[in-house]
Amino acid sequence: MSIAPTIGVFALQGDVREHLHALEAAGAKAVTVRRPGELEAVDGLVIPGGESTTMWKLADTFDLLEPLRLRIKNGMPAYGSCAGMIMLADRIVAGADGQQTIGGIDMVVRRNAFGRQIDSFEADIDFAGRGALRAVFIRAPWVESVGSDVEVLARAEAGDRIVAVRQGPLLATSFHPELTGDAGVHSYFVEMVREL
């Protein structure tokens, strides 16, 4: 793979621009993905924060849901932040009626687990043993349980809540690293894409 992998950002809804900037800062060529043809052209994909029910409905409307599932099933690296974590979960709790996900990570995620918008907060967490990282939680989910093949990368609230996981080529965080100016999580993902 080239030194600068091409990483797409799911661009139908969510904080797309911030992820594009963070990926560029981490050494990737960042592009938007809105159509199946654009999805086929990327080495990896970021699914941003936003509103998971809206993302699911738009992905279905724009005929991206099944292509996303297929690319992820076939090993494309993907990183989901906040709503993106929900989209990569095999199972969700407190989802909207009939809410679907892309799936791929053997985990149960609770939607809006940390509370409403007014309950948003920042915290220092240890991410994947790389030291302290400032994490921004906005109407964030948390991971209630993981399968045996899922690696827990970070916890919050005195270690009680799982907020970052990895399973093979898939990465998910319940927080928004694209809002802090620290490209550490994006660099971690870019390295994952380079390795695969």
Side-chain angles (χ1 to χ4, degrees), residues 132-165:
L133 174 83
R134 195 71 176 163
V136 178
F137 295 86
I138 304 171
R139 291 181 58 215
W142 66 46
V143 179
E144 298 220 328
S145 63
V146 296
S148 59
D149 292 334
V150 179
E151 178 185 1
V152 174
L153 301 177
R155 295 178 181 267
E157 295 197 329
D160 291 338
R161 301 297 178 198
I162 299 170
V163 296
V165 297

Side-chain angles (χ1 to χ4, degrees), residues 79-165:
Y79 164 48
S81 69
C82 198
M85 170 183 261
I86 296 167
M87 293 296 288
L88 289 176
D90 283 348
R91 295 166 302 285
I92 56 175
V93 176
D97 287 344
Q99 184 172 354
Q100 297 180 37
T101 66
I102 298 164
I105 300 180
D106 183 11
M107 63 180 173
V108 176
V109 170
R110 179 171 292 276
R111 188 170 163 261
N112 297 336
F114 285 104
R116 303 171 64 81
Q117 191 86 12
I118 197 168
D119 301 309
S120 300
F121 67 99
E122 294 184 26
D124 289 323
I125 61 169
D126 179 44
F127 177 79
R130 294 179 172 217
L133 174 83
R134 195 71 176 163
V136 178
F137 295 86
I138 304 171
R139 291 181 58 215
W142 66 46
V143 179
E144 298 220 328
S145 63
V146 296
S148 59
D149 292 334
V150 179
E151 178 185 1
V152 174
L153 301 177
R155 295 178 181 267
E157 295 197 329
D160 291 338
R161 301 297 178 198
I162 299 170
V163 296
V165 297

Side-chain angles (χ1 to χ4, degrees), residues 6-12 31-48 59-60 62-79 88 102 170 189:
T6 300
I7 299 180
V9 177
F10 176 89
L12 296 179
V31 298
T32 56
V33 170
R34 293 184 182 91
R35 294 183 285 277
E38 294 168 339
L39 177 63
E40 286 303 314
V42 299
D43 302 313
L45 182 73
V46 171
I47 304 168
D60 192 43
F62 282 79
D63 295 320
L64 264 175
L65 193 58
E66 288 309 317
L68 280 166
R69 287 175 173 155
L70 186 61
R71 286 265 355 239
I72 285 172
K73 181 180 176 185
N74 289 334
M76 177 187 70
Y79 164 48
L88 289 176
I102 298 164
L170 303 179
F189 180 61

Side-chain angles (χ1 to χ4, degrees), residues 15 18-19 22 122 136-138 176-182 186:
D15 47 349
E18 295 86 349
H19 277 289
E122 294 184 26
V136 178
F137 295 86
I138 304 171
H176 292 265
E178 73 281 4
L179 299 180
T180 65
D182 181 343
H186 290 81

